[in-house]
Amino acid sequence: MQKGVCHRCLKENRFMKKEVCIVCGASYCYDCVLRAMGSMPEGRKCVTCVGFRIREARRGKLGKCSRLLKRLLTDSEVKFIMNNEMLCEVNQLPPELVFVNGETLSQDELFKLQNCKYPPKKLGPGHYWYDKISGFWGKEGQKPCQIITCQLDVGGHIKRNASNGNTNVVLNYREITKEELWMLKSAGVPCEGRPHFWMSEDGRYQEEGQKNEEGKIWDKTRTKLVCAVFSLPVPPGSKNPSGKEVNGEIRDNLAQKSIHKFLLVGYDKSGTSTIYKQAKILYGIPFSEDERQTIKFSIRRKLFGYLAILLEGREQFEEESLLEKRKSCVINRSGPSGDTIQIDDTTIYSIGVRVRAFSDWLLQVLQSDNSEAIFPAATCEYAPFIEEMWKDTAIQATYNRRNELQMLPRVATYFLDRAVEISRTDYEPSDMDILYADGITSSNSPTCMKFSFPKSTQDDSLDPAYRHDSSLR
């Protein structure tokens, strides 16, 4: 693509400000930025570049808004996009690209380095050396460029040739450079011969093997003047010198992204699995296909269990209805003609032959010890009977008296109202179905989930009945 050309509309204007994608480097004019980058959930990236790592050459531009965006968007929108650009996980510096004292950093070590009191400036991929005793920091093979927080447990042990010094003067295991030697001499440190010194972060020094500790070299004005002449670092002041944006509000937000681990432990029916499922839905973590299949089979098994309780209640209500009917009639009493009065044994709770056969089978299976072996295979085989049974007037009459069935839990109403839908072969559980269902998996083994803070909740997208149902809360 020719320089100065918008990658979307292909119009060429070298003098027009353009916004550049931090991943692929494509540039867009004022009219094409929002069309090409959308809502910028990860900062200034093309829609097709979302989810990819940024170009390391542009890491220094992260969080620094352009004039074009300020003209195009409101201040709050710009701030939101810049925060996303800085805090997005995929935009963070990969720890495996940073080497300190010859060793690659872990994620925890990189986090410590970036969030210490005095972090390195413009940290990017590369090889660095770090004097943990004095806090001196620099690129491998070069003189120190900064003094950072000391005693950080990052990287390996510093090497003698870390800064390619050739002065025969060793400071905290490292042979110093000529510029550092001049700085020590200006501070009055005797450097004749091949001395080895220890120096702490406050500038106190002593020669190896000696007990006497000398004064602080940083208290001398001439030392700081020499450092200014030879571009050597001096200890940072009370304020953080590494920049307001990265280590101010943005660093505080990064600290909030530190890893927190929560262990949920509870006895059966205590609600730990419900909290687990709520977190998954609220923080946008999808359920795996295995989890959904397991929960679907569990829902169907529970549905058959609720139907069995309903069928047992129907038998009880039918017996009570027949008893009342017999009491209201005179049994074996002869009429004027001398004929015996016959009593009709059918009531509103009487069911047909097909439904009775299914009812007898279901009750027999659930009373046996091999119900786990029969389900979930039987759910597909007997699914057509569910719709026929649910439309039966006797079942509906029993369902209307479900409050009298003590064995039927409150959550059963949610699934029984959708019994026909759940029994169909193409049924897939919704998020609400998963929330109402018992448990996570068919086993009681530990389950792990990872999610990030902060993230806006999605309460408005949930069913109002769920938000106000005390049994689920």
Side-chain angles (χ1 to χ4, degrees), residues 303 306-307 310 355 358 384-400 402 412-413 415-421 423:
L303 176 64
Y306 300 148
L307 290 173
L310 209 61
V355 176
F358 174 71
F385 290 93
I386 301 295
E387 185 172 0
E388 180 180 350
M389 184 189 71
W390 192 248
K391 293 179 179 179
D392 194 284
T393 55
I395 300 300
Q396 287 299 315
T398 305
Y399 185 60
N400 291 336
R402 59 185 176 277
T413 302
F415 292 107
L416 287 172
D417 285 337
R418 303 173 59 242
V420 177
E421 176 189 348
S423 62

Side-chain angles (χ1 to χ4, degrees), residues 143-317:
K143 64 183 180 181
C145 62
Q146 190 182 351
I147 298 178
I148 67 171
T149 303
C150 64
Q151 303 300 335
L152 294 177
D153 187 17
V154 296
H157 297 290
I158 192 169
K159 299 178 182 178
R160 181 185 175 107
N161 63 343
S163 56
N164 276 348
N166 57 357
T167 59
N168 292 322
V169 178
V170 177
L171 182 68
N172 297 342
Y173 298 115
R174 177 180 61 89
E175 187 172 352
I176 63 176
T177 60
K178 289 182 179 180
E179 293 87 347
E180 294 174 276
L181 177 60
W182 291 331
M183 180 265 292
L184 290 180
K185 287 182 177 181
S186 68
V189 179
C191 299
E192 293 76 14
R194 298 185 176 186
H196 289 213
F197 293 102
W198 297 107
M199 189 173 77
S200 61
E201 59 177 323
D202 60 0
R204 295 182 183 274
Y205 69 93
Q206 68 182 86
E207 191 171 353
E208 282 189 18
Q210 302 296 324
K211 296 182 179 179
N212 296 331
E213 194 174 71
E214 303 297 335
K216 302 178 181 178
I217 66 172
W218 301 121
D219 289 346
K220 299 179 181 180
T221 305
R222 59 185 175 181
T223 303
K224 295 181 180 179
L225 289 174
V226 172
C227 288
V229 171
F230 293 107
S231 300
L232 292 174
V234 295
S238 57
K239 292 185 178 179
N240 197 332
S242 58
K244 294 181 180 179
E245 283 192 2
V246 175
N247 300 303
E249 178 184 354
I250 299 300
R251 194 187 69 185
D252 292 340
N253 289 336
L254 279 172
Q256 294 178 10
K257 294 172 71 66
S258 60
I259 298 175
H260 299 278
K261 296 182 179 180
F262 300 92
L263 177 64
L264 297 178
V265 180
Y267 56 86
D268 191 27
K269 309 295 183 183
S270 64
T272 52
S273 62
T274 301
I275 296 175
Y276 183 96
K277 290 182 287 187
Q278 286 171 326
K280 275 208 165 194
I281 293 173
L282 292 177
Y283 291 95
I285 302 173
F287 289 91
S288 67
E289 186 61 28
D290 290 340
E291 286 178 322
R292 285 191 171 273
Q293 289 298 321
T294 301
I295 292 174
K296 179 171 72 173
F297 294 145
S298 175
I299 290 174
R300 283 177 167 170
R301 282 197 298 268
K302 287 290 184 181
L303 176 64
F304 276 80
Y306 300 148
L307 290 173
I309 296 175
L310 209 61
L311 292 172
E312 288 179 344
R314 184 209 64 81
E315 292 181 354
Q316 177 185 344
F317 295 153

